[in-house]
Amino acid sequence: MRDDTEDPNYLMANERMNLMNMAKLSIKGLIESALNLGRTLDSDYAPLQQFFVVMEHCLKHGLKAKKTFLGQNKSFWGPLELVEKLVPEAAEITASVKDLPGLKTPVGRGRAWLRLALMQKKLSEYMKALINKKELLSEFYEPNALMMEEEGAIIAGLLVGLNVIDANFCMKGEDLDSQVGVIDFSMYLKDGNSSKGTEGDGQITAILDQKNYVEELNRHLNATVNNLQTKVDTLEKSNTKLTEELAVANNRIITLQEEMERVKEESSYILESNRKGPKQDRTAEGQALSEARKHLKEETQLRLDVEKELEMQISMRQEMELAMKMLEKDVCEKQDALVSLRQQLDDLRALKHELAFKLQSSDLGVKQKSELNSRLEEKTNQMAATIKQLEQRLRQAERSRQSAELDNRLFKQDFGDKINSLQLEVEELTRQRNQLELELKQEKERRLQNDRSIPGRGSQKPESKMDGKHKMQEENVKLKKPLEESHRLQPHPTDEQDQLLLSERPQVCQLCQEDGSLTKNVCKNCRGTFCDACSTNELPLPSSIKPERVCNPCHKHLMKQYSTSPS
């Protein structure tokens, strides 16, 4: 079985589909560009020229070839002439086309007819009327031609949109006979970077259809060029044969001329001999003369026939030369068309490679995005699990806080009286401490006065100072224990109470036992008095959200407590 691609019906259907797609593209592009341009179109407008080329290809599809002396001829002027019989208004266009002086070929007249019909904005009406009479079109088209199928009716319907376009053409100065009707696909090939996926798929489909049409057209053009080459070879052979026959005819004419001269000489000789000889000889010579004249008439008639045949051969040779020139011109046009089509095919291949590369890059991007989405989903799941754990910890911490508050309230209820008594003891001890500090200060002043008055006791001054210092430290240690116990039991006072405690307590660090001039701070946890070096750290306490200053021992104790408690 043959492949479906070699079936003529399949090839014709493929050609019809490609031509219909090209007609859609050209009509759509022409309407959009004309509306954006906003002025009357002329014959130099490129989209309009391409529209006429596409229409010419549609009208030529499936035309029956008419045999003439110069070979087969395909022209769409014949079907267009039928329109004036179907639509009387088209008679004016047909008469105008026939009266144009510069048109010499049927192809040129058909192109002029299309332009005049578009100027009248009745091209769609004329094409519909022509397509509806398929019994008349069957004389010019094959049964599976575009004008005989439903694709022709679709194209005729699409032509209605061209009624919004205003066009103006000057036919007298335009050479419509020798124009080359090649479709420029570069006008309809656009990159779809900014378009969506569906539009990109549609463009790829259109490009593939155009590529198939170009390949099919290229194949037909190659077949046409091969047929033309065969015709040229046949014409060269016939031309050579006619040249040989012409040489033979010339030789025969020369021979006949020589025989005529010889017959004339013989006839003149016979006439002279008849004048001189007897009557009997004249009778015999007369008979010979009549035979010679008869022979001369036959030779003269033969010469005339040969001359007519020679003239006919010369006219045929001239027609053959003219046909050769036209065929050479047609071959050159077909070669130019092939070159342009090959260039467009290369552009299509380059665009196809570019689209394939973009497709691969988009696939790679989609894969990367899918991997990134999977990673993000994993991280989201992990974060959700972490959030659940944190919520559980928060609930545990909330329960712990509530239990601590409950314990604190119970503690306050149980030890409220004891705290009050301890506060009274603390106040009493503070008064005693202030009294002792006052006595100590008076004793220091008294000793200073004695030292000044008694010079010999200067050597005992360090010892007395050291003894006083040791006594102060012992008193501070004695006072420290009830103070610490009271601070642990009572709630934390405010900053003003801290300043009051600083003013009431002796200015001695409870850790390093340094007194005097350095700045002292109150630990917010144990409420003790410490210097800057022994209270450099800050931590958030249960009674305060903000970080508070604490002493170094409380800092270590709280850090251990926080590290062992559940988070």
Side-chain angles (χ1 to χ4, degrees):
M1 290 179 64
R2 292 187 306 173
D3 191 4
D4 290 339
T5 57
E6 297 179 358
D7 188 6
N9 294 327
Y10 174 79
L11 295 177
M12 293 291 284
N14 194 13
E15 290 176 3
R16 290 197 306 271
M17 183 61 65
N18 292 331
L19 284 172
M20 185 181 69
N21 291 330
M22 286 306 303
K24 289 180 180 178
L25 288 173
S26 62
I27 293 171
K28 180 180 178 182
L30 178 59
I31 293 173
E32 291 178 355
S33 59
L35 292 178
N36 292 330
L37 188 64
R39 64 176 177 83
T40 303
L41 306 181
D42 53 11
S43 58
D44 295 332
Y45 193 54
L48 193 58
Q49 293 178 355
Q50 286 301 308
F51 165 71
F52 286 126
V53 171
V54 173
M55 285 301 300
E56 183 177 340
H57 279 275
C58 293
L59 291 171
K60 283 183 177 180
H61 184 263
L63 269 175
K64 292 181 179 179
K66 293 184 178 181
K67 295 182 180 180
T68 60
F69 177 75
L70 299 178
Q72 293 182 350
N73 183 19
K74 290 184 178 181
S75 174
F76 59 92
W77 170 241
L80 296 180
E81 281 185 306
L82 295 175
V83 178
E84 64 177 342
K85 298 179 181 179
L86 303 174
V87 182
E89 297 176 0
E92 183 181 354
I93 297 178
T94 306
S96 300
V97 170
K98 291 180 179 178
D99 292 339
L100 288 174
L103 300 178
K104 299 179 181 178
T105 62
V107 176
R109 286 190 285 273
R111 291 169 179 171
W113 190 93
L114 289 175
R115 284 159 175 77
L116 291 176
L118 183 63
M119 286 174 61
Q120 284 189 351
K121 297 184 179 181
K122 293 186 177 181
L123 182 58
S124 174
E125 180 182 352
Y126 296 157
M127 294 301 294
K128 286 181 180 179
L130 187 61
I131 289 172
N132 290 332
K133 298 293 182 180
K134 289 185 172 55
E135 63 274 8
L136 297 178
L137 291 177
S138 61
E139 181 182 354
F140 299 95
Y141 289 100
E142 298 291 341
N144 51 2
L146 186 140
M147 296 294 289
M148 302 292 290
E149 298 292 339
E150 61 179 4
E151 286 84 359
I154 294 173
I155 293 174
L158 293 173
L159 293 175
V160 178
L162 298 179
N163 293 336
V164 300
I165 297 175
D166 294 327
N168 188 13
F169 304 105
C170 182
M171 301 295 179
K172 293 183 179 180
E174 191 172 0
D175 185 11
L176 299 176
D177 293 327
S178 60
Q179 288 183 359
V180 180
V182 180
I183 301 175
D184 185 9
F185 295 100
S186 61
M187 297 180 63
Y188 312 110
L189 301 178
K190 297 180 181 179
D191 193 2
N193 291 337
S194 63
S195 61
K196 298 181 181 178
T198 55
E199 294 179 356
D201 295 338
Q203 288 184 356
I204 291 173
T205 305
I207 289 169
L208 292 176
D209 292 338
Q210 295 168 8
K211 176 178 175 292
N212 295 329
Y213 176 71
V214 169
E215 291 177 351
E216 192 68 24
L217 186 59
N218 191 10
R219 188 180 64 80
H220 281 292
L221 287 175
N222 288 329
T224 305
V225 170
N226 293 329
N227 293 332
L228 291 174
Q229 190 65 35
T230 305
K231 290 180 181 179
V232 169
D233 296 337
T234 306
L235 289 173
E236 287 179 354
K237 291 179 182 179
S238 61
N239 191 12
T240 305
K241 186 176 179 181
L242 288 174
T243 305
E244 293 176 355
E245 292 178 355
L246 182 61
V248 172
N250 290 330
N251 293 330
R252 189 174 180 183
I253 290 171
I254 294 170
T255 305
L256 290 174
Q257 288 177 354
E258 292 177 355
E259 290 181 356
M260 286 179 66
E261 293 294 333
R262 186 173 55 81
V263 169
K264 287 180 180 179
E265 290 177 358
E266 290 179 353
S267 61
S268 61
Y269 177 75
I270 291 170
L271 288 174
E272 291 178 357
S273 62
N274 288 333
R275 291 173 185 172
K276 296 178 181 179
K279 294 181 179 180
Q280 294 178 355
D281 295 335
R282 289 179 181 178
T283 304
E285 289 174 359
Q287 293 177 355
L289 182 60
S290 62
E291 291 178 358
R293 287 177 179 174
K294 185 178 180 181
H295 184 66
L296 181 60
K297 288 180 180 179
E298 292 177 356
E299 293 295 334
T300 305
Q301 186 65 34
L302 183 60
R303 179 182 178 182
L304 293 174
D305 294 338
V306 170
E307 288 178 353
K308 289 180 181 179
E309 185 178 359
L310 181 60
E311 290 176 356
M312 186 181 296
Q313 294 291 337
I314 291 171
S315 63
M316 289 178 65
R317 182 179 180 182
Q318 291 176 353
E319 290 179 356
M320 294 299 292
E321 290 177 353
L322 179 61
M324 285 288 294
K325 290 180 181 179
M326 293 180 67
L327 285 173
E328 289 176 357
K329 184 178 179 181
D330 194 9
V331 168
C332 293
E333 292 176 355
K334 296 296 183 183
Q335 289 176 352
D336 295 337
L338 280 174
V339 170
S340 62
L341 286 173
R342 286 194 182 100
Q343 186 176 1
Q344 292 176 13
L345 186 60
D346 294 336
D347 295 338
L348 282 171
R349 287 173 180 168
L351 184 59
K352 182 180 177 182
H353 290 309
E354 185 178 356
L355 290 174
F357 177 73
K358 288 183 179 179
L359 184 61
Q360 291 177 357
S361 61
S362 63
D363 291 338
L364 182 61
V366 168
K367 290 181 181 178
Q368 293 176 355
K369 288 181 180 179
S370 62
E371 292 176 357
L372 183 60
N373 288 332
S374 61
R375 292 176 184 173
L376 289 175
E377 288 178 356
E378 291 177 358
K379 290 183 178 180
T380 304
N381 296 330
Q382 293 177 0
M383 291 178 68
T386 306
I387 289 171
K388 289 181 180 179
Q389 293 178 0
L390 290 175
E391 289 177 352
Q392 292 177 358
R393 291 182 180 180
L394 179 62
R395 287 193 291 271
Q396 293 177 359
E398 188 67 24
R399 288 195 293 270
S400 300
R401 186 182 66 81
Q402 292 176 359
S403 62
E405 289 179 354
L406 180 61
D407 294 339
N408 190 14
R409 286 196 298 271
L410 295 175
F411 179 80
K412 286 181 179 179
Q413 293 176 0
D414 295 339
F415 296 95
D417 298 335
K418 190 174 182 180
I419 289 171
N420 293 328
S421 62
L422 288 175
Q423 285 179 352
L424 294 175
E425 291 178 3
V426 168
E427 291 176 356
E428 183 66 25
L429 290 172
T430 303
R431 284 195 299 271
Q432 292 178 5
R433 181 180 176 182
N434 292 333
Q435 186 177 1
L436 289 173
E437 286 178 354
L438 181 61
E439 291 176 358
L440 180 62
K441 192 179 292 185
Q442 293 174 359
E443 184 68 24
K444 284 182 180 180
E445 291 176 356
R446 199 166 44 249
R447 286 184 181 183
L448 286 172
Q449 291 176 0
N450 292 332
D451 290 338
R452 290 174 185 171
S453 61
I454 303 173
R457 294 182 63 183
S459 60
Q460 295 178 0
K461 183 177 181 180
E463 294 179 358
S464 62
K465 286 184 178 180
M466 292 298 294
D467 294 336
K469 186 175 181 180
H470 286 305
K471 289 180 181 180
M472 288 293 296
Q473 288 178 356
E474 290 176 357
E475 291 292 334
N476 286 330
V477 169
K478 290 179 181 179
L479 293 173
K480 182 179 179 181
K481 292 180 180 179
L483 284 172
E484 288 178 353
E485 184 178 358
S486 64
H487 285 310
R488 284 194 299 271
L489 295 176
Q490 68 183 359
H492 301 312
T494 59
D495 293 337
E496 295 179 356
Q497 293 175 352
D498 294 340
Q499 296 295 330
L500 181 62
L501 288 174
L502 284 174
S503 62
E504 292 177 354
R505 294 177 183 177
Q507 300 296 317
V508 178
C509 179
Q510 296 181 7
L511 189 63
C512 62
Q513 301 299 324
E514 291 292 334
D515 61 342
S517 61
L518 296 176
T519 303
K520 298 298 183 296
N521 300 309
V522 176
C523 177
K524 300 295 183 179
N525 186 44
C526 65
R527 317 307 295 178
T529 305
F530 300 92
C531 63
D532 289 337
C534 296
S535 60
T536 59
N537 299 303
E538 291 183 354
L539 280 176
L541 300 176
S543 61
S544 175
I545 299 176
K546 296 181 180 179
E548 302 290 346
R549 184 182 290 273
V550 295
C551 61
N552 293 342
C554 291
H555 179 265
K556 293 180 181 179
H557 177 69
L558 291 172
M559 288 298 292
K560 289 180 181 179
Q561 184 179 358
Y562 290 162
S563 62
T564 56
S565 63
S567 57

